[in-house]
């Protein structure tokens, strides 16, 4: 890719792009026309089912294949050590985007419950499932380690390199400093990503060419991993993922089932489909780990912070150290001369955790947001006033200026819309219900990824955008055609979109809230270049033309785009790109600036002190998140994020059963999730007017993960406001309310 410089005029053009538009891909998704990875069928297609270990530690000592092979339609049973090993390039792959270096079936060792120890392959899924139930697997169990009771350890390698394991800003604080002090421990349970579509992969080989239809969040990372595993050039690998039915991070990196599907297909010489069951989504791919936060806040008599301390420990596997950098918000949200943070892990026999929507800042804003509410109570200050007194004009950890930040405006507008200053602190009553209000900060770190795009117009006037991003449901199939249509003066529905295919121009991953920044910039660049080419065809100066209503216009002159291209021998195309300094694969924004999104969230809850029930009555979120390309899809994202935060606060938990060493309820039957009846219609979302020229030419930032931060803290604080019960372990259960009111332990 070549370096692209955007002029002031081009950057200004980004301000006017987009608008409130219904999703273009909506009809395909609600009618079933959208096809997902596991929808792929074929006459020669085999179905594979993974058989998981029934112990968390040990080894496979025997495999009785005959009962499985006796099932009609079963063609093969593959056990440990029966597949060719990965190529030499596998050892050079980085974690991430490789999810884990532990590849099951390479040997007979078992290191977590549910680890694939065999695969049954059949003509039909039903036959493969039946064969899997009949397969005789003998294991020798060994002693295992329960991760949440393991000792705290320093993390090593892989994910540990994604952030600072220890941070010290200013000298350590002398004991006794400050007038108000809070020191508390906050605990979050593990939680599993449960996307609507389970992970799936369909692998087809044509000689040494691999095509993999995958439920993924970045097709190019999958391509690189597959090329290394099979020791072939990347040009020999094609990854296709037009629709991904939710991911939330579970499909961000490349997990063993994707590699095993391709290995099985090559080994058997036929296409193979491998779709994980809902239970296997608990055992085979990642989840958010259990976390313990130790937070210390010290403030002077005026409420200004003199110390912030945040130490986080999360569980991880014995195979790799996944680190959930939940302390990041402590070094980014509030001004303080003394900040210290640390990250540690507890290793055990469990499958490896991974990103989950709003990693890092989602957990961090809960613990820190509740601690700030406690400090406000101790200092006798309104929680919003405490935040205003500690407003960070620059990034606290580095002193760098923000690329943009309008959190003050978000505070003001959020308080106005919610009626924060008119509420009755300490709660009110509504019949048997005690009513309380709480607020907290939302924030999310930003990532930018390089991307490329091609925009073309045919002699018949058809305009197309080609770029290989993946769509996990957040609306990119609408906003990127909007960008192109805005430059070329078209209806977005007139822009044909090709996406989700590694054969298309490179796009950054759909995680880290970076899709709109990178792909949007590349689409804008390509569309602008195409408009310049059209200006050249018309003989007009490119800098002085614009497009509107399907026409190219220059002063009083105008010509239809279809007339300009009608006599061309073929399509007219332009390639656009968004490149990062030093050809980096990712960054957090320009090095001289700190880049984040922010928001203020407010919640009103009702608490029944006799039954311990907690009900959401209304919620408000106002966000400082750069230019909003499509307010309708953005608002949908933020509503979903508040629902996500409600689930985090009051419902969701994945419990590890310490006796058997496995997840206690690996399916949705045992997991409480928010439903329509839990969420009132009174959810109010707004954005402050902002354009971050440093983030990219669109002025936009990511919002998908920002939306799920802060609200769990606002809910927890509202519960305290209602009944005076300070919950420090999630989720908030009815028993927690009742026991706390009666002085009983959890």
């Amino acid at each position: 890719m070549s370096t692209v410089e955007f002029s002031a005029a081009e950057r200004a053009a980004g301000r006017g792009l987009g608008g409130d538009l219904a999703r273009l891909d909506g009809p395909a998704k609600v009618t079933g026309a959208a096809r997902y990875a596991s929808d792929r069928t074929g006459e020669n297609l085999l179905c594979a089912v993974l058989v998981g270990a029934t112990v968390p530690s040990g080894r496979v000592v025997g495999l009785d294949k005959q009962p499985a092979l006796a099932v009609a339609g079963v063609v093969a049973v593959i056990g440990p050590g029966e597949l060719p090993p990965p190529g030499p390039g596998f050892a050079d792959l980085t974690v991430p985007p490789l999810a884990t270096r532990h590849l099951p079936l390479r040997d007979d060792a078992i290191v977590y419950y549910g680890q694939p120890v065999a695969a049954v392959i059949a003509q039909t899924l039903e036959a493969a499932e039946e064969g899997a139930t009949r397969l005789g697997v003998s294991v020798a169990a060994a002693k295992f380690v329960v991760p949440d009771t393991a000792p705290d350890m320093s993390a090593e390698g892989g994910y540990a390199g994604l952030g600072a394991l220890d941070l010290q800003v200013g000298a350590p604080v002398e004991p006794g400093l400050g007038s108000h002090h809070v020191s508390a421990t906050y605990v979050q349970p593990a939680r599993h990503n449960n996307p609507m579509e389970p992970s799936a992969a369909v692998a087809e080989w044509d000689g040494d060419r691999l095509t993999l239809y995958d439920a993924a969040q970045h097709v190019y990372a999958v391509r690189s991993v597959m090329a290394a595993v099979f020791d072939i050039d990347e040009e020999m690998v094609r990854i296709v993922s037009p629709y991904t039915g939710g991911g939330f991070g579970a499909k961000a990196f490349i997990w063993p089932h994707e590699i095993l599907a391709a290995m099985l297909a090559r080994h058997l010489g036929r296409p193979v489909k491998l779709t994980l069951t809902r239970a296997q989504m608990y055992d085979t791919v990642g989840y958010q780990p259990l976390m313990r936060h130790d937070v210390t806040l010290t403030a002077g008599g005026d409420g200004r912070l003199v110390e912030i301390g945040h130490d986080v420990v999360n569980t991880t596997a014995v195979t790799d150290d996944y680190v959930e950098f939940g302390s990041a918000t402590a070094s980014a949200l509030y001004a303080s001369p003394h900040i210290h943070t640390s990250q540690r892990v507890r290793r055990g026999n469990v499958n490896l955790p991974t990103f989950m929507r709003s990693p890092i800042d989602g957990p961090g804003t809960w613990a820190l947001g509740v601690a700030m509410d406690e400090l406000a109570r101790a200092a006798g200050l309104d929680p919003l006033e405490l935040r205003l007194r500690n407003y960070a004009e620059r990034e606290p950890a580095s002193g760098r200026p923000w690329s943009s930040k309008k959190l003050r405006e978000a505070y003001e507008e959020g308080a106005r819309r919610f009626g924060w200053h008119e509420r009755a602190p300490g709660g009110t009553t509504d019949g048997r219900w005690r009513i309380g209000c709480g607020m907290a900060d939302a924030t999310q770190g930003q990532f930018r990824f390089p991307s490329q795009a091609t925009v073309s117009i045919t002699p018949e006037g058809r305009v197309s955008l080609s770029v290989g991003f993946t769509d996990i449901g957040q609306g990119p199939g609408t906003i990127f055609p909007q960008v192109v249509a805005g430059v070329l003066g078209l209806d977005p529905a007139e822009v044909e979109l090709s996406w989700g295919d590694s054969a298309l121009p490179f796009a950054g991953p759909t995680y880290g809230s970076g899709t709109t920044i990178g792909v949007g910039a590349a689409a804008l660049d390509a569309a602008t270049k195409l408009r310049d080419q059209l200006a050249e065809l018309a003989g007009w100066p490119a800098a002085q033309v614009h497009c509107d209503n399907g026409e190219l216009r220059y002063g009083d002159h105008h010509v239809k785009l279809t007339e300009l291209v009608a006599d061309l021998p073929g399509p007219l195309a332009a390639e656009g790109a968004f490149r990062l300094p030093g050809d980096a694969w990712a960054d957090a924004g320009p090095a001289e600036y700190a880049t984040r999104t922010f928001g203020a969230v407010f919640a009103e809850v009702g608490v029944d002190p006799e039954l311990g029930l907690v009900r959401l009555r209304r919620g408000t979120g106002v966000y400082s998140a750069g230019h909003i390309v499509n307010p309708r899809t953005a608002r949908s994202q933020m509503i979903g994020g508040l629902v996500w935060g409600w689930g985090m606060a009051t419902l969701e938990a994945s419990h590890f059963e310490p006796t058997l060493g496995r997840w206690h309820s690996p399916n949705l039957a045992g997991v409480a999730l928010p439903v329509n009846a839990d969420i009132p219609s009174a959810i109010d979302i707004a954005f402050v007017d902002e354009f971050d020229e440093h983030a990219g030419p669109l002025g936009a930032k990511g919002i998908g993960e920002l939306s799920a931060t802060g609200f769990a803290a606002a809910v927890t604080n509202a519960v305290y406001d209602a009944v005076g019960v300070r919950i420090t372990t999630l989720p908030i259960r009815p028993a927690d309310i009742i026991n706390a009111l009666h002085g009983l332990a959890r």
Side-chain angles (χ1 to χ4, degrees):
M1 292 182 292
S2 60
T3 303
V4 177
E5 295 293 338
F6 295 95
S7 68
E10 288 169 331
R11 288 183 179 273
R15 294 180 184 270
L17 293 176
D20 194 287
L21 179 69
R23 293 171 63 125
L24 299 175
D25 58 354
K29 290 182 175 179
V30 300
T31 61
R35 309 301 288 174
Y36 296 81
S38 63
D39 291 331
R40 188 165 181 82
T41 60
E43 292 184 2
N44 203 34
L45 183 68
L46 296 173
C47 293
V49 169
L50 298 177
V51 178
T54 55
V55 297
S57 179
R59 63 188 183 91
V60 178
V61 296
L63 204 63
D64 184 2
K65 300 182 180 182
Q66 290 309 311
L69 291 170
V71 175
V74 171
V75 299
V77 175
I78 304 297
E82 296 180 17
L83 291 173
F90 182 79
D92 298 326
L93 292 172
T94 59
V95 176
L98 183 66
T100 172
R101 292 201 172 281
H102 181 256
L103 186 59
L105 297 186
R106 292 181 71 178
D107 55 38
D108 60 11
I110 299 171
V111 292
Y112 59 87
Y113 186 99
Q115 173 191 319
V117 294
V120 178
I121 304 93
Q123 302 282 1
T124 65
L125 176 61
E126 292 79 6
E129 290 176 335
E130 176 66 16
T133 64
R134 298 191 183 188
L135 182 66
V137 182
S138 300
V139 301
K143 184 178 180 180
F144 65 91
V145 178
V146 178
D148 58 335
T149 61
D152 297 354
M153 305 288 287
S154 181
E156 301 174 357
Y159 297 94
L162 297 180
L165 297 177
D166 295 278
L167 175 69
Q168 180 73 52
V169 177
V173 172
E174 295 292 333
L177 183 67
S179 303
H180 308 290
H181 184 78
V182 169
S183 182
T185 297
Y186 306 91
V187 179
Q188 293 172 263
R191 294 190 303 152
H192 276 78
N193 303 297
N194 273 295
M196 194 177 299
E197 175 204 26
S199 293
V202 180
E204 298 179 359
W205 287 90
D206 181 5
D208 285 334
R209 290 187 175 275
L210 169 65
T211 301
L212 187 72
Y213 301 87
D214 196 9
Q217 291 181 233
H218 193 217
V219 294
Y220 304 95
V222 181
R223 181 179 67 181
S224 297
V225 168
M226 294 300 164
V229 167
F230 296 102
D231 196 23
I232 56 179
D233 292 337
E234 289 192 9
E235 290 72 19
M236 303 290 285
V237 181
R238 182 187 177 198
I239 311 299
V240 183
S241 184
Y243 292 101
T244 296
F248 311 121
K251 300 171 185 173
F253 305 140
I254 296 82
W255 292 92
H257 72 275
E258 294 160 280
I259 298 173
L260 291 176
M263 283 184 164
L264 291 169
R266 194 176 210 190
H267 185 68
L268 297 171
R270 289 177 63 179
V272 169
K273 178 195 293 188
L274 199 167
T275 302
L276 299 184
T277 65
R278 183 61 61 184
Q280 287 172 335
M281 290 294 293
Y282 279 71
D283 293 325
T284 310
V285 297
Y287 53 95
Q288 188 175 75
L290 183 148
M291 278 170 277
R292 187 193 73 217
H293 305 257
D294 293 317
V295 180
T296 299
L297 300 176
T298 302
D302 59 359
R304 287 182 169 80
L305 288 163
V306 294
E307 177 192 21
I308 301 175
H310 195 166
D311 302 307
V312 181
V313 179
N314 68 259
T315 55
T316 189
V318 295
T319 57
D320 308 85
D321 282 347
Y322 173 78
V323 183
E324 183 78 51
F325 288 94
S327 66
T329 52
S331 62
L333 261 179
Y334 309 116
S336 176
H338 304 279
I339 302 173
H340 58 89
T341 68
S342 70
Q343 302 285 157
R344 298 293 181 266
V345 296
R346 290 181 173 181
R347 304 186 185 105
N349 289 100
V350 68
N351 53 314
L352 188 70
T354 192
F355 289 179
M356 185 171 176
R357 187 184 189 183
S358 308
I360 301 172
D361 297 293
T365 53
W366 174 68
L368 188 59
V370 175
M372 282 291 284
D373 196 72
E374 293 196 56
L375 183 64
R377 305 277 178 173
L381 292 172
D382 182 281
L384 178 53
E385 176 60 28
L386 177 67
R387 286 165 170 80
L388 288 169
R389 293 190 187 189
N390 293 283
Y391 191 86
E393 300 290 355
R394 290 174 170 261
E395 184 183 47
S398 68
R400 292 179 299 170
W402 300 108
S403 61
S404 70
K405 181 182 181 182
K406 289 191 174 182
L407 182 55
R408 286 188 188 276
E409 291 86 340
Y411 282 149
E412 180 179 359
E413 179 64 8
R416 184 192 69 80
R417 299 172 78 102
F418 185 79
W420 178 256
H421 298 301
E422 291 73 46
R423 79 195 192 287
T428 58
T429 59
D430 182 5
R432 76 175 191 273
W433 296 92
R434 295 294 306 275
I435 311 304
C437 297
M439 64 87 55
D441 294 292
T443 188
Q444 185 72 33
Q446 293 290 280
F447 287 95
R448 303 189 307 174
F449 302 101
S451 294
Q452 297 170 298
T454 298
V455 176
S456 62
I457 184 169
T458 68
E460 296 76 28
R462 294 197 307 272
V463 174
S464 64
L465 166 64
S466 299
V467 54
F469 69 87
T470 53
D471 172 12
I472 63 172
Q474 77 279 34
T478 301
I479 65 172
F480 298 140
Q482 281 185 275
V483 170
V484 172
V487 174
L488 298 179
L490 303 170
D491 185 320
E494 297 180 84
V495 179
E496 298 177 3
L497 179 64
S498 299
W499 77 101
D501 190 330
S502 65
L504 298 173
F506 178 89
T510 304
Y511 55 74
S513 295
T515 304
T516 299
I517 297 174
V519 177
L524 172 60
D525 183 43
T528 302
K529 288 178 176 176
L530 182 63
R531 185 188 64 196
D532 292 348
Q533 292 183 33
L534 293 169
E536 185 177 351
L537 282 177
W540 298 337
Q544 299 179 44
V545 303
H546 70 281
C547 293
D548 188 33
N549 198 29
E551 294 182 334
L552 185 71
R553 299 185 178 184
Y554 168 55
D556 295 331
H557 306 283
H558 56 90
V559 60
K560 290 187 176 298
L561 301 186
T562 51
E563 295 176 8
L564 271 176
V565 300
D567 295 329
L568 293 178
L572 184 66
E575 297 179 357
F578 180 65
R579 184 186 180 195
L580 301 180
D583 289 325
W585 76 274
D587 71 14
E592 62 271 29
Y593 294 97
T595 304
R596 272 188 168 271
T597 50
F598 297 94
V601 289
F602 302 81
E604 178 183 285
V605 303
V607 181
D608 184 332
E610 294 184 4
L611 299 179
L613 300 176
V614 181
R615 294 290 183 263
L616 181 64
R617 293 167 64 97
R618 59 193 179 100
T620 296
V622 179
Y623 301 94
S624 164
H627 172 55
I628 303 302
V629 178
N630 186 325
R632 184 180 301 197
T633 58
R635 183 174 181 274
S636 178
Q637 283 262 53
M638 309 319 277
I639 292 174
L642 261 63
V643 175
W644 186 280
W646 175 256
M648 173 183 173
T650 64
L651 296 172
E652 296 172 39
S654 296
H655 297 294
F656 190 77
E657 208 292 312
T659 303
L660 299 176
R662 62 176 177 82
W663 296 109
H664 184 71
S665 184
N667 54 61
L668 291 178
V671 177
L673 296 172
V675 297
N676 284 350
D678 295 310
I679 308 300
S681 59
I683 301 296
D684 183 25
I685 300 295
F687 300 92
V688 297
D689 184 22
E690 184 179 7
F691 187 93
D692 190 338
E693 63 178 354
H694 303 294
L698 277 179
K701 298 179 184 178
I703 61 170
E705 293 176 306
L706 169 68
S707 63
T709 68
F711 199 62
V715 170
T716 306
N717 297 337
V719 168
Y720 181 87
D721 189 57
V723 293
V725 170
R726 181 65 70 185
I727 301 297
T728 57
T729 298
L730 294 183
I732 304 171
R733 308 174 305 171
D736 297 329
I737 303 293
I738 296 171
N739 290 344
L741 289 173
H742 292 84
L744 302 175
R746 181 182 175 108

